[in-house]
Amino acid sequence: MKKLTIEIIALLIFITAVFIMLEYQYRDYENPIDRIMKEFLAKKKGADVILVGNSHTLPLYYGLKQVGNKNVGCITIGGDDLFWMQALVKRYLHEMDSAKYVILNCDDELLGFNQSLSGMKYMNRILYPYADTMYENNALDKFLSRSNFFRSNRDIGYLFHSSSGESMVATGIGGSISFTDEECRSRAIEISEKRFQRKLFTENLHYIKSIILEARRLGKQLFILKMPKCECLEAYVNKANLEASRTVLDSLFIAEGVEKLDFRNDTTFQRNDFANPDHLTITAAIRLISLINERIFSSEGQRPVQLPDDNDPNK
């Protein structure tokens, strides 16, 4: 019995030592979401627009960075769901006195998606420090959110490369990439069947309504953005699931008087504008920024999502 006690104590000391060593090695670790949030927090006071979305809006984030835009604060997080979108909007929008517009990415498949129920529960640990809440408020995840190692989703490669992995964000959006119809089919099934549950509609509608109410309370104009998708993806999605979602969402947006920016089936974007079946290239995303301006801001004489040359008198 005494020997067993000694062995247990020794094991606990070893585990504690390993944990302390890992925390020291990861003391300066920043995951991709930390970098996006750091930029957002630096810009939020002066931003005219807040763009909130998942990986589908990451090309817009990188496009805005590429052209030097300073007017848009981006919370564009790969794998994000409506729970986290509303949590982050409610956490930060009231601090954005200069902001006039909220652009919320709400593609049809999002109404049936929950991050934590789709194998991405680790995102709770990553995002908790920025929202002070998490899905189901799990005590263990709250504790682990204080650990840089566990917030890295155990990114062991960092020990050897001293730079965080990009696995949590869409990769390959910097240029046009050739992808197959089979890849379109696989991705379509993933987003419209495997990760899609109609029973989540009621819960996710609650989060959208929460964002609508918060924007209205603070006097911000809300737009719903549906990102372009490649036609080969649209050919394979579960149309019944997405149509059911679209019907519910459209009813809500009409009832609440929320304007839509629906580019999902916009023929302006062809296959070579996509890095993969559902993510634009950065070049195509910059074109989309101009289209957003044309649709909603030009009529008001304002262009807060403007490209640097939008005010060039020689244009």
Side-chain angles (χ1 to χ4, degrees), residues 106-122:
C106 187
D107 296 325
D108 298 328
E109 58 270 19
L110 264 181
L111 195 62
F113 174 65
N114 179 291
Q115 193 181 75
S116 294
L117 302 179
S118 299
M120 300 176 69
K121 198 171 181 180
Y122 64 88

Side-chain angles (χ1 to χ4, degrees), residues 133-197:
T133 188
M134 64 172 58
Y135 194 73
E136 295 180 338
N137 279 310
N138 181 281
L140 177 60
D141 279 333
K142 283 185 177 180
F143 173 75
L144 294 178
S145 71
R146 301 177 183 177
S147 161
N148 273 357
F149 173 66
F150 284 101
R151 288 189 72 248
S152 77
N153 197 29
R154 303 177 299 281
D155 180 11
I156 299 298
Y158 180 77
L159 292 172
F160 306 101
H161 303 294
S162 296
S163 61
S164 61
E166 299 294 326
S167 60
M168 288 175 282
V169 300
T171 57
I173 60 176
S176 183
I177 296 176
S178 175
F179 50 89
T180 67
D181 283 359
E182 177 55 32
E183 289 172 308
C184 287
R185 188 188 72 82
S186 176
R187 179 61 173 165
I189 292 172
E190 179 185 5
I191 66 173
S192 66
E193 292 185 11
K194 290 181 179 179
R195 300 193 327 185
F196 189 96
Q197 300 181 55

Side-chain angles (χ1 to χ4, degrees), residues 82-84 86 114 135 202-212:
L82 287 163
F83 167 80
W84 279 110
Q86 63 88 29
N114 179 291
Y135 194 73
T202 301
E203 178 182 341
N204 283 329
L205 278 175
H206 168 75
Y207 300 140
I208 298 172
K209 289 177 183 177
S210 180
I211 294 172
I212 293 172

Side-chain angles (χ1 to χ4, degrees), residues 242-260:
L242 295 194
E243 183 59 36
S245 172
R246 190 176 304 117
T247 298
V248 172
L249 288 173
D250 285 350
S251 295
L252 172 65
F253 299 145
I254 291 170
E256 296 290 345
V258 179
E259 295 187 49
K260 286 193 304 179

Side-chain angles (χ1 to χ4, degrees), residues 208-256:
I208 298 172
K209 289 177 183 177
S210 180
I211 294 172
I212 293 172
L213 290 173
E214 184 70 357
R216 187 175 294 155
R217 181 180 74 85
L218 296 170
K220 318 294 186 184
Q221 186 170 1
L222 174 66
F223 295 95
I224 299 298
L225 173 64
K226 294 190 178 185
M227 291 292 289
K229 303 292 192 298
C230 186
E231 61 181 356
C232 78
L233 181 90
E234 296 297 328
Y236 292 107
V237 293
N238 185 314
K239 292 179 174 55
N241 277 345
L242 295 194
E243 183 59 36
S245 172
R246 190 176 304 117
T247 298
V248 172
L249 288 173
D250 285 350
S251 295
L252 172 65
F253 299 145
I254 291 170
E256 296 290 345

Side-chain angles (χ1 to χ4, degrees), residues 56-64 173 227-228 269 273 279-292 305 307:
H56 296 148
T57 54
L58 276 169
L60 292 177
Y61 161 76
Y62 287 113
L64 289 163
I173 60 176
M227 291 292 289
F269 298 96
D273 290 315
H279 294 85
L280 292 172
T281 64
I282 293 175
T283 301
I286 292 173
R287 283 173 34 220
L288 179 59
I289 292 167
S290 294
L291 290 174
I292 290 172
V305 195
L307 303 183

